[in-house]
Amino acid sequence: MKIVVCIKQVPETNDVTIDPVTHNLDRRGLAGVMNPFDKNAVEQALQLKDANNDAEVVLLSMGPDDYAESLREGMAMGADAGVLLSDRAFAGADTLATGYVIAQAVKQIGAVDLVLFGRQAVDADTGQVGPIVAEFLHQPQITYAASLRLSGPNEVTAERLLEDTKQTLVATLPAVVSVRSELNTPRYPTPRNIQLSFAKPLTVWHHDDLDLDDSRLGQAGSPTIVTKVYAPEPVKRELTPLTGTPTEAASQLIKALKHRQLI
């Protein structure tokens, strides 16, 4: 069984600025960490590997060279290998363009049974890339999985946790699943595994290493357009004291709410 876990490196700080030209997050010079939700996906892959001795876990990420740090962290957790997609042609991609390149990389890896994602990245919070990859791969998908298990030779069963309900879904492999943080508690890399991670293969693929349609790449291949990013004006609040007896105060409150058309 071959499992690919797609991870993203996100800024370690909340003090992120917006590029005035592209209106995207400006990550230049910022230290990065593995997206917290992606750690749950890595942990789930490793648990499936622990239960299936011949399973292989490959980490996949797209970004600049320093994203290798998060791939090494995942390999120190126990993943077998890492693949970094890094090329200027991929820069400025929205979720559609990102999903396209990742899907092409999954095809290049070959014979992948299961692709795992964290539910969303904490820097953009879209949760779109996993489903987009599933569509490009023409594979079934399950999102918001709070539990996941192999339920047959070629199928997985997941409990999908939504805002006000739960669903139990079965998907035939190969499939794409995005997971919630409730799924597990990610393990910490041991000093021994950190040392071993540097002996594991980390491959960097550039534009020419993949079968790509250039019209789908980078900012030029991204249909999403951010026209404006701004901080909302602070709400001005006016304090209106309520006086008199409880009955009089209640009457004043009702009158004030009606005046503001809140009741």
Side-chain angles (χ1 to χ4, degrees):
M1 183 180 192
K2 186 181 291 186
I3 305 170
V4 168
V5 185
C6 298
I7 68 172
K8 183 180 183 182
Q9 187 162 297
V10 296
E12 193 173 13
T13 175
N14 290 328
D15 188 17
V16 180
T17 59
I18 303 297
D19 188 301
V21 177
T22 66
H23 303 297
N24 293 325
L25 295 177
D26 187 354
R27 299 179 173 86
R28 291 173 295 182
L30 294 176
V33 295
M34 189 193 303
N35 178 50
F37 289 115
D38 296 345
K39 290 186 177 182
N40 298 108
V42 175
E43 175 62 31
Q44 184 59 36
L46 296 176
Q47 290 185 15
L48 292 172
K49 178 184 175 182
D50 291 342
N52 188 352
N53 292 331
D54 62 348
E56 178 186 6
V57 177
V58 179
L59 305 182
L60 177 61
S61 188
M62 187 175 102
D65 291 344
D66 62 354
Y67 275 38
E69 296 176 12
S70 291
L71 290 169
R72 287 292 181 197
E73 181 182 356
M75 288 189 284
M77 291 173 66
D80 300 292
V83 177
L84 177 62
L85 311 175
S86 185
D87 198 289
R88 288 300 304 169
F90 306 153
D94 67 359
T95 54
L96 184 65
T98 299
Y100 170 70
V101 176
I102 290 175
Q104 294 303 103
V106 171
K107 294 176 184 178
Q108 181 94 339
I109 292 170
V112 176
D113 300 289
L114 181 63
V115 182
L116 295 179
F117 286 83
R119 62 174 283 183
Q120 63 201 58
V122 296
D123 57 353
D125 283 331
T126 65
Q128 295 174 354
V129 176
I132 287 171
V133 168
E135 288 299 309
F136 277 124
L137 294 176
H138 305 290
Q139 294 179 3
Q141 60 174 295
I142 299 175
T143 57
Y144 299 108
S147 71
L148 181 67
R149 62 183 176 87
L150 292 173
S151 51
N154 294 298
E155 70 176 28
V156 289
T157 297
E159 182 179 74
R160 190 167 184 253
L161 182 60
L162 303 177
E163 191 169 313
D164 56 358
T165 190
K166 294 180 180 179
Q167 296 176 329
T168 299
L169 300 178
V170 178
T172 302
L173 298 178
V176 178
V177 179
S178 63
V179 305
R180 297 179 62 105
S181 59
E182 293 88 347
L183 180 67
N184 54 46
T185 300
R187 67 191 70 184
Y188 288 99
T190 65
R192 174 62 174 163
N193 284 341
I194 293 173
Q195 184 180 19
L196 291 174
S197 71
F198 287 92
K200 296 178 179 179
L202 198 165
T203 306
V204 180
W205 283 346
H206 303 290
H207 172 278
D208 293 343
D209 297 311
L210 300 169
D211 181 14
L212 298 170
D213 176 354
D214 287 354
S215 68
R216 291 180 173 273
L217 304 181
Q219 194 165 4
S222 300
T224 305
I225 299 174
V226 182
T227 58
K228 186 178 181 182
V229 178
Y230 63 95
E233 293 292 331
V235 177
K236 296 181 180 179
R237 301 184 183 276
E238 181 181 345
L239 179 64
T240 303
L242 302 177
T243 59
T245 66
T247 301
E248 291 170 338
S251 178
Q252 294 170 34
L253 176 60
I254 293 171
K255 183 178 180 181
L257 292 175
K258 286 182 177 179
H259 177 71
R260 292 169 173 78
Q261 298 182 339
L262 297 176
I263 60 173

